[in-house]
Amino acid sequence: MKTLNRRQAINRIIGISSVAAGSALVANPVIAAVTSSSGDWKLEVGTRLAYTKLDPMAVAKRAYETSNGCMYQVFDGIIKSLAESNSPDADKFAQVPTAMAHYGYAGMLGEGTVCGNINAAGMLANLLSINGEPANAFLSQTMRFYETEMLPLQTPEFISGIGADMAETLDQVGKPTAANSILCHSSISLWASENGKSFSEKGMRCKQLSASVVYELIVMLNKAFDGETVNDHPVSDVVASCQSCHTAESTFAPSVKTNMSCDTCHGGH
């Protein structure tokens, strides 16, 4: 017996409905917004796809084993895991072109600016919904985690979980460091200085850093999916103090709109 796959079945249904309803279905803006002229789903500005719980360690391991730079590791690892999940949008996740995330390596095409881990977290937060709610807040929390935590994670459980070797990790990665910034430049420079290494030796360190970011992001998304209020990585006391005067609306103090670490570049006053 010949069977139809999901896409063929949907197209068959649309075709049958079109015959019954004349041109009304073709003109339906809801259908037009989510399908291409061939009837396939396509990503549009404002689209949100439903997150479902994933295994943090399994996705972190997947990211660690992926190449092509940190942004691609994070974005591709999570999107492909959701494509294989029980999300109602799994088939749509499977159609997201993750190759577009490749540009984020080494701070965007090697420029040392915003780290690809953060870039990927932003793309994911903009795309995901959690129980119908936008996931935007998780970009800020991922940024704060990246700025302040000693990374990459280096517990025996984590190293084993992603399939890495502790002896090789200690040799090639050395001591974890806090980036104090969301910039690739700051993150790698501080790590290299602390461990007596060069930028060219960052390979294992950056792969494990991406796995660490994936792990923490999935942990937070899972909590939110379970209905918890998640504020695991709020702005620091220094940033909160600065924001009390330097607001987006202030006129008596320089107007500022950011949650990034202030004292990485600016002194107090």
Side-chain angles (χ1 to χ4, degrees), residues 8-241:
Q8 290 171 327
I10 290 172
N11 288 342
R12 179 72 60 82
I13 292 168
I14 290 173
I16 293 170
S17 300
S18 297
V19 171
S23 60
L25 183 60
V26 176
N28 188 321
V30 175
I31 297 297
V34 299
T35 62
S36 68
S37 58
S38 64
D40 295 331
W41 175 83
K42 65 177 181 179
L43 184 64
E44 297 278 2
V45 173
T47 296
R48 295 276 179 176
L49 302 182
Y51 178 80
T52 194
K53 289 180 74 173
L54 299 172
D55 181 337
M57 192 65 80
V59 188
K61 185 176 190 295
R62 184 175 204 154
Y64 181 64
E65 293 173 345
T66 300
S67 55
N68 295 311
C70 51
M71 184 176 181
Y72 182 78
Q73 282 178 260
V74 174
F75 190 70
D76 182 77
I78 294 177
I79 292 295
K80 285 186 176 174
S81 296
L82 287 166
E84 298 167 0
S85 73
N86 62 1
S87 166
D89 290 326
D91 60 331
K92 295 176 182 176
F93 280 116
Q95 296 178 64
V96 174
T98 59
M100 65 185 178
H102 177 250
Y103 78 89
Y105 66 87
M108 295 197 291
L109 301 179
E111 289 292 320
T113 60
V114 176
C115 176
N117 291 283
I118 302 303
N119 237 321
M123 288 179 69
L124 288 160
N126 186 60
L127 179 62
L128 299 178
S129 67
I130 306 173
N131 300 323
E133 296 296 321
N136 293 21
F138 292 94
L139 173 59
S140 180
Q141 299 226 13
T142 303
M143 286 180 168
R144 309 292 79 81
F145 170 75
Y146 183 92
E147 287 173 334
T148 61
E149 294 295 319
M150 301 295 284
L151 298 173
L153 300 175
Q154 211 171 76
T155 63
E157 294 78 15
F158 183 77
I159 296 300
S160 174
I162 63 173
D165 179 80
M166 183 60 85
E168 288 183 352
T169 294
L170 294 176
D171 177 55
Q172 296 184 39
V173 178
K175 299 177 183 177
T177 51
N180 299 325
S181 168
I182 61 169
L183 295 180
C184 169
H185 152 66
S186 177
S187 178
I188 294 180
S189 294
L190 288 172
W191 164 79
S193 177
E194 176 68 25
N195 288 282
K197 295 185 180 295
S198 68
F199 180 91
S200 62
E201 297 175 284
K202 70 181 179 63
M204 181 176 284
R205 179 263 180 183
C206 286
K207 285 171 71 70
Q208 292 189 8
L209 176 59
S210 294
S212 301
V213 169
V214 165
Y215 183 87
E216 184 65 16
L217 179 55
I218 296 298
V219 166
M220 292 191 291
L221 292 173
N222 284 351
K223 288 180 180 179
F225 186 86
D226 285 340
E228 296 184 37
T229 299
V230 182
N231 191 27
D232 293 354
H233 306 287
V235 297
S236 68
D237 291 342
V238 171
V239 172
S241 175

